[in-house]
């Protein structure tokens, strides 16, 4: 079984795009590999400053990961800051990567340019070194990431190869894999843009925590077009096609069959709203349950942290020994 690691930052609320495009695949993939899922709160610290926010977002996201169906007995779900080896190995990674290499990272260039005159932390610059530690600590063979993260996996490989060359074979060289393609969900108000938590208004975004009434209302107001024929055409009919795609995954009915079934936009909208509300109801119920039982949520996170730490501690020890740090 391949060792697989994927990480997610606790920034913002989980929406239908995250669920259908990514989290559902995490759940269905948990039995196919030895999977580790990290909630990387320390990475989010590069952009979050308000006291308490990061912890609250971390617990919300953790509750959501269990609510969508990650099984703590099968997948190792942990919080990065609960496993101190991440920052410990992070320093060693910083000493193994060069200033020049970090300067070439497009994510750093983009994010620091966006912040302009704002505070640009050194952490934003050394971010890929901590990410390399996340990956190498678990001897991960596969790291499913989108295109935007490929450069960070490349630099992780370079760091691992350099370390192994300097100090002897220590780290498994990971590779980026393209995650199983999930549905691409578009914003209900701006169906040519993807549903995204960084959109300014949330009228077109379905959060997994929205009530059935809110979900139905958002679908009723979904933007379509004026020619009133139900047909699947992503380019010319993005709104209607988005609804068909969503209804198809929510009900398991192929798009072609739905096109036959519907002749009016109104009915398509209300049915899609009800199907999504129904699909999300058990998820929201489990989420509420965990949010109301912080003891249980921390118990689940401790299971993950304990399991992660066993692996992480042994890898860190291996790295210390390879370097030849003085034994204590
Ligand atoms: P941002 O708006 O800040 O880019 P986001 O809402 O797009 O955030 P990410 O945290 O970047 O979400 O992505 C988490 C996961 O969800 C990724 O695997 C990403 O591919 C997937 N994802 C995000 N939005 C969508 C979407 N609209 N449709 C399908 N998958 C999505
Ligand atoms: N940089 C990633 C999040 C991330 C990650 C990782 C992904 C941090 N550590 C390790 C895969 C493996 C992002 O911004 N999505």
């Amino acid at each position: 079984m391949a060792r697989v690691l994927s990480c997610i930052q606790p920034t913002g609320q989980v929406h239908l795009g995250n669920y259908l495009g990514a989290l559902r695949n995490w759940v269905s993939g948990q039995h196919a590999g030895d999977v580790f899922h990290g909630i990387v709160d320390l990475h989010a610290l590069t952009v979050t400053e308000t006291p308490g926010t990061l912890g609250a977002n971390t617990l919300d996201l953790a509750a959501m990961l269990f609510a969508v169906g990650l099984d703590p007995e099968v997948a190792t779900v942990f919080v990065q800051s609960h496993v101190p080896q991440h920052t410990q190995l992070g320093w060693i990674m910083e000493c193994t990567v060069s200033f020049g290499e970090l300067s070439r990272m497009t994510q750093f260039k983009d994010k620091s340019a966006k912040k302009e005159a704002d505070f640009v932390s050194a952490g934003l610059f050394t971010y890929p070194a901590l990410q390399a530690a996340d990956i190498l600590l678990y001897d991960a063979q596969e790291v499913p990431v989108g295109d935007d993260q490929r450069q960070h996996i490349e630099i992780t490989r370079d760091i691992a190869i350099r370390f192994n060359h300097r100090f002897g074979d220590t780290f498994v060289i990971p590779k980026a894999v393209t995650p199983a393609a999930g549905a691409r969900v578009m914003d209900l108000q701006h169906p040519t843009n993807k549903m995204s938590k960084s959109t300014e208004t949330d009228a077109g975004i379905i959060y997994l925590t929205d009530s059935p009434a809110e979900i139905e209302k958002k679908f009723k107001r979904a933007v379509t077009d004026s020619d009133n024929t139900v047909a699947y055409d992503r380019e010319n009919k993005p709104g209607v096609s988005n609804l068909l795609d969503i209804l198809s995954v929510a009900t398991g009915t192929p798009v072609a069959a739905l096109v036959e079934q519907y002749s009016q936009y109104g009915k398509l909208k209300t049915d899609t709203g009800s199907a999504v509300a129904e699909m999300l109801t058990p998820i929201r119920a489990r989420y509420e349950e965990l949010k109301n039982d912080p003891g249980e949520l921390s118990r689940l996170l401790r299971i993950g942290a304990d399991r992660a730490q066993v692996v992480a501690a042994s890898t860190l020890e291996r790295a210390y020994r390879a370097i030849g740090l003085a034994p204590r």
Side-chain angles (χ1 to χ4, degrees):
M1 249 195 195
R3 173 69 62 78
V4 183
L5 174 98
S6 49
C7 294
I8 182 165
Q9 295 197 57
T11 47
Q13 292 187 61
V14 181
H15 55 71
L16 188 65
N18 299 137
Y19 178 57
L20 297 180
L23 301 185
R24 248 172 36 136
N25 292 335
W26 289 17
V27 174
S28 58
Q30 64 186 328
H31 296 281
D34 178 15
V35 301
F36 283 69
H37 292 295
I39 301 177
V40 286
D41 52 347
L42 298 174
H43 273 112
L45 189 58
T46 55
V47 291
T48 316
E49 290 149 22
T50 325
T53 305
L54 206 45
N57 287 347
T58 300
L59 294 179
D60 286 352
L61 179 57
M64 197 49 92
L65 294 184
F66 294 122
V68 297
L70 284 178
D71 178 350
E73 299 300 329
V74 177
T76 302
V77 179
F78 66 95
V79 175
Q80 187 185 34
S81 66
H82 292 178
V83 183
Q85 286 78 9
H86 287 255
T87 41
Q88 291 175 295
L89 187 65
W91 174 254
I92 295 176
M93 301 290 101
E94 286 183 36
C95 296
T96 314
V97 70
S98 74
F99 181 85
E101 283 169 315
L102 290 176
S103 309
R104 286 194 287 277
M105 294 295 110
T106 47
Q107 181 173 298
F108 171 72
K109 288 194 266 189
D110 290 351
K111 288 202 178 173
S112 55
K114 263 193 209 142
K115 288 183 144 267
E116 286 167 357
D118 237 11
F119 182 79
V120 176
S121 70
L124 200 58
F125 184 67
T126 59
Y127 181 114
L130 183 60
Q131 183 163 348
D134 298 340
I135 298 169
L136 300 182
L137 273 178
Y138 297 97
D139 292 334
Q141 293 154 307
E142 297 180 3
V143 188
V145 285
D147 280 348
D148 66 317
Q149 291 299 314
R150 287 196 168 255
Q151 203 184 22
H152 286 166
I153 310 305
E154 249 343 281
I155 203 174
T156 299
R157 290 169 59 88
D158 293 342
I159 293 173
I161 291 168
R162 184 173 302 139
F163 186 101
N164 286 353
H165 182 71
R166 272 189 195 160
F167 300 114
D169 221 7
T170 306
F171 295 122
V172 170
I173 312 297
K175 68 169 193 290
V177 296
T178 309
R184 188 168 156 79
V185 181
M186 311 309 276
D187 188 293
L188 300 183
Q189 289 299 317
H190 307 278
T192 47
N193 301 340
K194 71 165 198 161
M195 193 177 282
S196 155
K197 61 187 169 233
S198 34
T199 310
E200 257 148 52
T201 69
D202 48 17
I205 306 178
I206 303 294
Y207 294 109
L208 300 201
T209 49
D210 282 349
S211 69
E214 283 169 307
I215 296 173
E216 284 167 14
K217 191 166 98 189
K218 286 179 182 174
F219 274 101
K220 270 198 192 117
R221 296 187 180 167
V223 168
T224 44
D225 52 53
S226 54
D227 72 16
N228 243 323
T229 23
V230 176
Y232 189 84
D233 179 346
R234 273 267 174 195
E235 197 149 314
N236 299 308
K237 298 174 76 67
V240 174
S241 306
N242 190 36
L243 293 175
L244 287 167
D245 271 333
I246 296 173
L247 183 59
S248 168
V249 274
T251 58
T253 315
V255 167
L258 294 174
V259 171
E260 295 296 308
Q261 257 172 45
Y262 287 90
S263 55
Q264 283 174 347
Y265 289 172
K267 178 105 172 78
L268 176 64
K269 288 183 194 178
T270 44
D271 283 6
T272 309
S274 326
V276 170
E278 197 178 314
M279 172 178 75
L280 297 184
T281 294
I283 295 177
R284 207 180 61 254
R286 177 77 183 126
Y287 174 81
E288 296 294 338
E289 213 174 276
L290 277 173
K291 286 294 294 171
N292 291 326
D293 190 353
E296 174 63 3
L297 184 56
S298 6
R299 187 186 72 84
L300 297 182
L301 287 176
R302 254 195 319 271
I303 296 177
D306 288 347
R307 248 192 345 236
Q309 188 152 6
V310 171
V311 181
S314 112
T315 313
L316 182 69
E317 188 55 35
R318 208 162 71 217
Y320 277 12
R321 266 199 255 119
I323 298 171
L325 295 177
R328 55 173 261 159

